[in-house]
Amino acid sequence: MSSGVKPGKYFVQGDEAIAEGAIAAGCRFFAGYPITPCSETSETMARRLPEVGGVCLQMEDELASIHAVGGASVGGLKAMTISSGPGISLKLEGLGWGIKNEIPYVVVDVQRAGPSNGVATRVGQGDFYTIRYGSAGGNSSIIALSPKSTQEAFDLTIECFNLAEIFRCPVFLLADETVGHTRELLLIPEESELKVVKRVKPTVPPEQFLMYPLDTPGVINYPFPNIGEGYGICVSPYTHNSKGYASTAQDMQEKMAKRLVFKVTENLDKLVRVEKQKMEDAEFAVVAYGGNARPAIAAVEMAREQGMKVGFFRPIIVWPFPDGEVLKVAEKVKNILVCELNIDGQLSREVARASKGKAEVYLLGSGGVEPHLPAQIFNEIRRLYP
Amino acid sequence: MSTVGETPNVLHPLVAKYLRKERMPHMACPGCGIGQVVHAVLLAVDELGLTPKDTVWVQGVGCNSRITYSTWVGDNVDAHHGRMFAVATGLKMARPDMNFICFTGDGDCGAIGGNHFIHACRRNLDVTAILFNNGIYGMTGGQVAPTSPLGAVTTTTPYGNIEDPFDMCQMAVAAGASYVARWRSTDFKPLANSIKKGIQTKGLAFIEVLLQCPTNFGRYVLKTSNPQDVLKWIKDHSVSQKEAKKISKEELAGKYLIGEFVYRPERTGIVERYQEFLKKYQKD
Ligand SMILES: Cc1ncc(C[n+]2csc(CCOP(=O)(O)OP(=O)(O)O)c2C)c(N)n1
Ligand code: SF4
C-alpha cells in the first residue's frame, strides 16, 4: 500500500492540509458527515483515500461516523472523523466508547461560532471545554492539539495520529474556521522526513495478553491487537476488567478510571508543546491559541514597536493543559491577556487557574464570527500595560 | 446436578467449543428465549465451520448483548446503545475478509439505532444481523419499545400503548437488505438454517426472532411470569406466510408473519462495491 505522501509545495486550505496530514500519517479510514467549515477535509479525503487503498464513507450522521471510525480502528486501520460544533456534540457519545476502550483514532473539530448552529461559516472557539469534559461520565483524560496555520494543520494531524497510537486513545485536532479556511503555503516533506508511529502489536501469546493494562495505569505504548489475530479481544461500553469483561465492582471502576486518567497525567512531560515569542524580557504576556494566535502575534509586534515589553504564549497541545509552562509565564509577568473567540472565557479560566495568582489574568473575549483584529488586541494591551 | 450459582460441569458441546467457559452460565432470566437464539447461532456457526479467527461477534446494548457479549471465544465488539450497525460498518470495511455476526434488540435497532439500521440496509452491509425482538425494553425493566403491541401496558405506558409497532422486517426489505426473515425462538431448525443462509449471503442478512421475555413482557403486558404463556401468546400472534394467504385480513391484523421475506443474493452491497471501486481508483 502506498504511503500516500505527496512531497511538494502546495497552496491549499488548512482543511485540505488536515486531509493530507492524515493520509501521510497512515490514515486509511475516514467517516464523516458534512458540516461547514470542515467539509473540504471530507471532500479531500473522498478524492484521496481511494487512491491509496483507503476507505472513505459519508455516514448518516456524526454518531455513525465516530462509531464507524472506532470500529475501523478496532479492525486495524488508522482512522479519523471530523466535524464542527453541532456535530461534535453528537460525536461526544461515541468518543466515550473510544476513550473507554482505549481505541486510537483522531477527531478533528474545526470550531465555528456557537452555540448551536451559531454562524455556520464563521470562526469561533467555544469547544475548548466541550472536547475535554463533554464525553459522558468523566473519569478520563483527553489529548488535543491546536494548529494556527495550514502547515501546522498538516504537521499536527500527523502528531495526533502518533499520539493516538502511543497513548492508545482518541486524540483531538482542535482547529477553527480561520485555520480550516486559510489558504497558504504548505510544504509536504519527503516521506523519510516524516515521523509516523506504527500501531504497537502484542509480542506475547494470546493467553498471556491482557487487553487493558489496569494494573499498570501509567503505561503507554501498550499494544492493540487486531481483530482476527487470535487475541480474542473484548471491547464494550461497560466498565471492564483487564480482559475487557464487563464489571460492576467498585474497585474495577476505580482501576479503570485511574488507568484512563493516569496514562495521560503520568506522562505529562511527553505532552507539552508550547510556542513562546519575545518572552525572555516580557512584563506582559498575550495568550491565544489556534487561528486567533495570528492577530495576537501581530498585536505583540505592534506593542514591541511602541517599546512595550510584551511577549506571546500559545499552548499547541491544549489538553492536557500546560499548567507548568503557564505558571512560568505568570511568574515572569505582571499581567496576562488571554484572547479567545468566546465570551465566557474558557482558555482564560484555565490560564487563571494555572497562574496560581502570580499574575493578573484578563480576558479579551468575542462571540466569534471574526477573529480578533491586531489593533483590537493592541488597544487592550495598551490599556492594561502596567 | 449443580447447585445454584455453581457452573455446571457439563457444558453443551457447542458451548464448550465456541463460548468462553469462564463466562458461563449466562445471565438471562429463567425461561428467556435468548439462549435458544444463541443456540441456533452456534449451530449455524458450527455447520458452516466458522472459527474464532474468521468470525467476530458484535453487539448493541440490551439483554441480548449483555448475554452474548464477551462469550464468543474469538473477538467481541459491543457498541453503545443503538450504534451496533455503525460500529459494524467500520469493522467490516476494515476487515472485509471476516464474518460479523451482529446482535441487536428491538429498542436498540428500532428506536435509538433506527437510522443506522435503515442505512446499513441501504448500504447492504455484508454482516449477519440478528434482531432479538421481545416486544419491550428488557434490560431497563419493562418500558415500551417501538415494537410493543398497540394497547400494551408497560412501565412507561401504564394506560396502554397508543402507538403502532414497527415491522422491522418490512423496514429492512424496503431499505434494501439482501436477506430478511422472521422466526420464533421455538422455530429452532428453520432459524438455524436461516442464520446459515444469512451468513452465506452477500449483503445484509436481517433475521428477526420473536422471543419470550417472561420477566418483563410477560409480567407487564400479559400479566404472567410463565414463559409458556408468553410462548403461547407469540404462537397465537404469529402466522406463517403460507397460512396467512388462507385467512382473512381481519384475522391477520396484529399478527407477525413468519418466514423469509426476501432473498436477493445477487444484490451487491457497499463492501463488494468498495473493492471494485478501489480496483478502478487505487493508484499504487
Ligand atoms: C444512550 C443510552 N440510552 C439508554 C440506555 C439504557 N438502555 C439500556 S438497554 C435499553 C433498552 C434495550 O432494549 P432492547 O434493545 O429492546 O433490548 P432488550 O433489553 O429488550 O433485549 C436502554 C434504553 C443506554 N444504555 N444508553
Ligand atoms: S428481561 Fe426478558 S429479555 Fe431480558 S433476560 Fe430477562 S427474560 Fe430475557
Side-chain angles (χ1 to χ4, degrees):
Chain A
M1 204 181 267
S2 147
S3 72
V5 183
K6 279 179 30 180
K9 262 189 194 178
Y10 301 89
F11 186 63
V12 291
Q13 291 188 350
D15 279 348
E16 295 164 276
I18 292 169
E20 289 301 336
I23 289 169
C27 175
R28 290 298 178 269
F29 185 93
F30 177 90
Y33 187 79
I35 189 167
T36 307
C38 65
S39 295
E40 291 85 348
T41 307
S42 303
E43 289 159 5
T44 308
M45 289 304 250
R47 183 167 49 76
R48 289 276 286 124
L49 264 181
E51 292 180 355
V52 296
V55 179
C56 183
L57 298 180
Q58 180 169 312
M59 299 294 286
E60 55 274 20
D61 58 27
E62 288 82 354
L63 289 157
S65 49
I66 195 162
H67 282 96
V69 156
S73 182
V74 172
L77 297 183
K78 287 193 180 179
M80 180 170 95
T81 185
I82 191 167
S83 199
S84 190
I88 289 294
S89 315
L90 291 178
K91 284 198 194 295
L92 292 172
E93 188 217 352
L95 182 72
W97 189 76
I99 292 173
K100 183 258 161 195
N101 291 304
E102 305 192 39
I103 305 173
Y105 59 78
V106 175
V107 185
V108 182
D109 180 359
V110 186
Q111 297 178 88
R112 64 192 218 181
S116 189
N117 264 16
V119 184
T121 54
R122 310 304 290 271
V123 72
Q125 290 184 325
D127 298 347
F128 187 69
Y129 280 133
T130 310
I131 64 157
R132 170 64 186 89
Y133 294 107
S135 169
N139 293 313
S140 59
S141 288
I142 200 92
I143 301 172
L145 283 65
S146 185
K148 71 169 185 191
S149 62
T150 301
Q151 186 65 47
E152 275 193 10
F154 176 86
D155 297 341
L156 294 186
T157 300
I158 298 178
E159 206 161 337
C160 282
F161 274 96
N162 290 346
L163 290 171
E165 297 299 335
I166 293 169
F167 282 82
R168 238 185 74 168
C169 63
V171 173
F172 269 99
L173 185 78
L174 185 62
D176 50 49
E177 190 269 342
T178 304
V179 171
H181 283 164
T182 297
R183 192 175 285 277
E184 58 186 345
L185 194 65
L186 167 67
L187 288 175
I188 301 185
E190 292 296 328
E191 194 192 332
S192 56
E193 289 167 45
L194 293 172
K195 191 180 154 257
V196 170
V197 173
K198 284 215 174 80
R199 186 160 296 184
V200 186
K201 290 286 156 195
T203 49
V204 298
E207 316 78 72
Q208 285 166 30
F209 181 72
L210 292 174
M211 183 65 182
Y212 306 97
L214 297 190
D215 290 318
T216 45
V219 72
I220 54 174
N221 286 309
Y222 194 77
F224 196 105
N226 276 357
I227 56 169
E229 288 179 342
Y231 281 84
I233 65 170
C234 294
V235 168
S236 88
Y238 303 103
T239 291
H240 54 218
N241 68 10
S242 299
K243 281 188 172 175
Y245 296 165
S247 169
T248 53
Q250 203 226 336
D251 67 327
M252 207 48 73
Q253 167 65 14
E254 194 78 5
K255 272 191 185 189
M256 195 190 77
K258 283 181 176 160
R259 162 70 187 151
L260 297 179
V261 172
F262 291 177
K263 75 173 163 184
V264 169
T265 56
E266 288 187 8
N267 295 287
L268 286 179
D269 54 323
K270 296 176 189 70
L271 292 168
V272 179
R273 307 268 194 294
V274 297
E275 177 186 353
K276 287 181 195 172
Q277 287 193 28
K278 305 185 170 65
M279 278 307 298
E280 302 76 28
D281 62 342
E283 288 167 10
F284 187 108
V286 176
V287 176
Y289 80 103
N292 215 41
R294 303 169 72 127
I297 292 167
V300 166
E301 275 159 14
M302 287 162 82
R304 282 279 170 176
E305 276 166 28
Q306 304 283 315
M308 291 185 254
K309 290 188 171 165
V310 180
F312 171 75
F313 176 89
R314 168 172 78 108
I316 296 173
I317 293 189
V318 295
W319 293 115
F321 196 70
D323 283 30
E325 292 292 321
V326 171
L327 184 61
K328 275 189 231 162
V329 171
E331 279 168 343
K332 226 174 148 73
V333 301
K334 293 197 181 66
N335 294 339
I336 299 176
L337 174 65
V338 183
C339 310
E340 58 182 314
L341 302 179
N342 61 77
I343 289 289
D344 37 324
Q346 302 185 1
L347 177 67
S348 70
R349 198 178 308 168
E350 286 300 297
V351 170
R353 182 188 57 73
S355 298
K356 297 189 171 165
K358 305 278 186 212
E360 280 300 319
V361 177
Y362 298 92
L363 165 69
L364 179 62
S366 146
V369 172
E370 297 289 349
H372 279 123
L373 289 173
Q376 222 180 334
I377 301 175
F378 173 70
N379 286 341
E380 201 63 8
I381 297 172
R382 201 165 44 188
R383 197 173 70 79
L384 296 168
Y385 194 74
Chain B
M1 218 181 106
S2 62
T3 51
V4 175
E6 195 181 293
T7 310
N9 47 21
V10 182
L11 290 174
H12 186 284
L14 287 173
V15 171
K17 192 166 172 190
Y18 293 112
L19 300 187
R20 298 180 186 218
K21 290 162 199 66
E22 70 269 30
R23 305 295 288 162
M24 294 297 128
H26 62 60
M27 293 179 282
C29 307
C32 175
I34 292 176
Q36 289 164 286
V37 186
V38 173
H39 188 182
V41 172
L42 292 179
L43 188 67
V45 161
D46 197 50
E47 289 188 355
L48 290 177
L50 302 189
T51 74
K53 277 211 169 182
D54 58 32
T55 305
V56 180
W57 281 21
V58 189
Q59 292 89 359
V61 164
C63 286
N64 64 84
S65 91
R66 188 179 49 169
I67 285 146
T68 53
Y69 170 64
S70 71
T71 56
W72 172 243
V73 277
D75 300 310
N76 297 263
V77 183
D78 187 13
H80 271 166
H81 191 28
R83 314 297 170 221
M84 183 279 286
F85 279 112
V87 169
T89 305
L91 285 164
K92 182 67 188 183
M93 294 307 281
R95 293 300 302 268
D97 55 320
M98 294 189 71
N99 303 302
F100 294 91
I101 300 179
C102 306
F103 304 111
T104 180
D106 46 304
D108 195 66
C109 184
I112 190 164
N115 200 27
H116 307 312
F117 163 57
I118 294 169
H119 287 274
C121 293
R122 178 179 67 84
R123 295 187 181 104
N124 205 16
L125 183 74
D126 188 8
V127 299
T128 308
I130 296 161
L131 171 70
F132 293 71
N133 183 357
N134 56 7
I136 202 160
Y137 283 14
M139 193 160 132
T140 41
Q143 297 83 8
V144 73
T147 49
S148 297
L150 187 64
V153 170
T154 71
T155 57
T156 47
T157 52
Y159 308 113
N161 179 22
I162 56 167
E163 300 173 14
D164 280 314
F166 260 148
D167 185 325
M168 302 290 287
C169 284
Q170 289 314 314
M171 203 140 70
V173 171
S178 268
Y179 177 57
V180 181
R182 180 188 288 128
W183 308 102
R184 295 157 294 214
S185 59
T186 43
D187 300 327
F188 182 70
K189 249 328 201 182
L191 171 60
N193 285 336
S194 183
I195 295 169
K196 262 168 78 175
K197 192 165 171 181
I199 293 171
Q200 288 172 308
T201 305
K202 264 188 283 172
L204 190 85
F206 181 76
I207 299 159
E208 174 176 348
V209 190
L210 305 176
L211 59 94
Q212 71 282 13
C213 164
T215 305
N216 286 304
F217 193 85
R219 177 175 179 194
Y220 297 106
V221 183
L222 305 181
K223 317 283 180 231
T224 172
S225 58
N226 186 342
Q228 277 178 347
D229 294 341
V230 190
L231 283 168
K232 183 169 183 312
W233 184 90
I234 293 173
K235 187 162 179 271
D236 293 346
H237 287 80
S238 54
V239 34
S240 76
Q241 296 188 86
K242 210 163 150 198
E243 287 164 49
K245 292 205 181 92
K246 297 182 218 148
I247 58 177
S248 69
K249 262 196 171 164
E250 291 71 43
E251 278 177 292
L252 265 183
K255 287 211 165 80
Y256 298 94
L257 288 183
I258 300 298
E260 288 183 352
F261 299 105
V262 84
Y263 178 52
R264 31 193 180 196
E266 68 293 346
R267 208 180 163 261
T268 57
I270 187 168
V271 182
E272 220 186 335
R273 285 192 200 164
Y274 209 94
Q275 299 307 315
E276 289 301 314
F277 174 80
L278 282 184
K279 279 186 203 148
K280 226 166 137 185
Y281 297 104
Q282 190 168 352
K283 285 201 171 144
D284 34 29

